[in-house]
Amino acid sequence: MNHKTNTIKALNELGRFLSQFTTESTLKNESVLFNDLFFDGFKHQIKLSKEHNGWFSETNILFAIESWAKLLTTDTLNSWVSNYPLEAASQKKVAIVMAGNIPLVGFHDFLCALICNHEIIVKQSSNDKHLLPFISLYLTKAAPELKGRVTFLEQKLEGFDAVIATGSNNTARYFEYYFKDKPSIIRKNRNSLAILTGDETKEDLLKLSNDIFQYYGLGCRSVSKLFIPKGYNFDAFFDAMYHWHPIINGAKYANNYDYNKAVYLMSEFKMLENGFLMIKEDPSYASPIATLFYEHYDSLETLTDKLNSDADKIQCIVSNNISEDHLSFGSTQTPQLEDYADGVDTVDFLLKI
């Protein structure tokens, strides 16, 4: 079998392994390969990840694992790569500098480099360092030819041919300078937003609540801004958000809520709040934890022009079919394999280096 076939087979086995760990239960499936070696160990890595990072609740970790398990199937993987000339790729050393804002946030870049048959040098965030090395170990057991192809590095990056680096706007400037002589994808801060018209159903708004609160709103695909028509009534919106109220039981989220509320009150900013979410009128796209910014629009046409001009600040837009480019409510946190960050085709980049 060739690299593509072997790798997809191994990834399918990984998907079956990960499917044992869901938000509903962790249940051992005796038919999964290498469970005797890896099942208990992965449970321990989940525990370590949760203890190491207060933002990584067990539910959020399992949500990320479950989402990847659904994508790592032979049919889905084959469909994803069917239009890429993988056989023509020449093997290079690819460095991946990962963020650590949500669990396994760098896995898609890792997957792209793996399917393109590159050697991979991973520099993880200290916030998310437990899960991926263990997953990589499982893959080398499922496909022994992958052994030695992935290196996890803590020191300075050296000896690579191309790089994918994700960070803040500040770190991106450093990345752009440091990696200026190498082919690169450098990702900066982006945020996601929702456009409401007032005609949304309760089901629409319930789905939107997942886009807002999943991962505590820390992901670039988390909705942090609403665009609403003038005269919009927030009653139905707040009603739909309420089932997420247990989020305030998270200590780090509660601390941010209390702090930001105090800042807004002392500054006499106008806001609406319901005990776990504050809504504030603000032109910015990036809102603090436990806060959602909103802005009024005069017409959908003028709003479209504004969003087009701000495209480099936006990751996702959700709406009720206002544009074919928009995502549907409730889908931002479950991207598909072909949903590349910042709209840059990572596989295409990796095949051309």
Side-chain angles (χ1 to χ4, degrees), residues 117-334:
N117 199 23
H118 293 307
E119 292 185 45
I120 307 170
I121 305 168
V122 178
K123 191 171 181 62
Q124 293 183 286
S125 166
S126 60
N127 291 326
D128 183 21
K129 64 180 184 178
H130 294 97
L131 301 175
L132 187 57
F134 198 86
I135 286 172
S136 178
L137 200 62
Y138 184 94
L139 283 170
T140 59
K141 183 66 176 178
E145 64 274 14
L146 296 177
K147 192 172 183 179
R149 288 266 307 282
V150 181
T151 303
F152 289 88
L153 195 68
E154 293 190 4
Q155 60 267 37
K156 182 179 178 181
L157 285 172
E158 292 179 329
F160 55 91
D161 301 302
V163 63
I164 301 171
T166 304
S168 66
N169 290 343
N170 287 333
T171 56
R173 285 192 286 269
Y174 165 77
F175 290 153
E176 287 168 349
Y177 173 79
Y178 187 74
F179 301 130
K180 63 182 183 296
D181 298 324
K182 302 288 185 180
S184 64
I185 296 176
I186 308 295
R187 302 201 185 102
K188 305 177 183 179
N189 287 345
R190 290 201 181 210
N191 296 94
S192 297
L193 60 95
I195 303 173
L196 303 181
T197 64
D199 296 325
E200 290 76 23
T201 65
K202 183 175 182 178
E203 184 65 24
D204 289 334
L205 295 175
L206 283 170
K207 290 178 179 178
L208 175 60
S209 70
N210 298 328
D211 297 327
I212 294 169
F213 290 108
Q214 189 68 55
Y215 300 124
Y216 295 113
L218 287 168
C220 64
R221 298 179 69 90
S222 301
V223 169
S224 58
K225 175 77 175 272
L226 302 177
F227 282 95
I228 58 174
K230 291 183 177 178
Y232 183 83
N233 188 321
F234 278 106
D235 289 349
F237 175 85
F238 272 122
D239 183 56
M241 298 299 112
Y242 186 73
H243 74 110
W244 272 94
H245 74 273
I247 197 171
I248 198 65
N249 296 327
K252 291 179 77 69
Y253 185 92
N255 288 340
N256 276 266
Y257 176 84
D258 291 340
Y259 173 79
N260 289 318
K261 182 177 179 179
V263 169
Y264 294 153
L265 290 174
M266 287 188 295
S267 303
E268 297 185 352
F269 289 135
K270 292 181 179 179
M271 65 167 182
L272 300 172
E273 60 100 13
N274 65 352
F276 62 93
L277 174 68
M278 292 167 284
I279 298 182
K280 175 179 176 289
E281 187 168 9
D282 195 292
S284 302
Y285 287 104
S287 60
I289 299 297
T291 306
L292 195 64
F293 287 160
Y294 72 90
E295 193 171 343
H296 293 100
Y297 62 85
D298 293 318
S299 70
L300 291 175
E301 290 76 16
T302 56
L303 176 58
T304 298
D305 291 340
K306 170 182 171 59
L307 298 182
N308 286 339
S309 66
D310 289 343
D312 61 341
K313 302 174 184 177
I314 299 168
Q315 191 66 255
C316 305
I317 301 175
V318 293
S319 74
N320 202 350
N321 299 315
I322 290 174
S323 167
E324 62 181 17
D325 296 327
H326 295 177
L327 299 179
S328 57
F329 293 118
S331 65
T332 67
Q333 305 293 6
T334 52

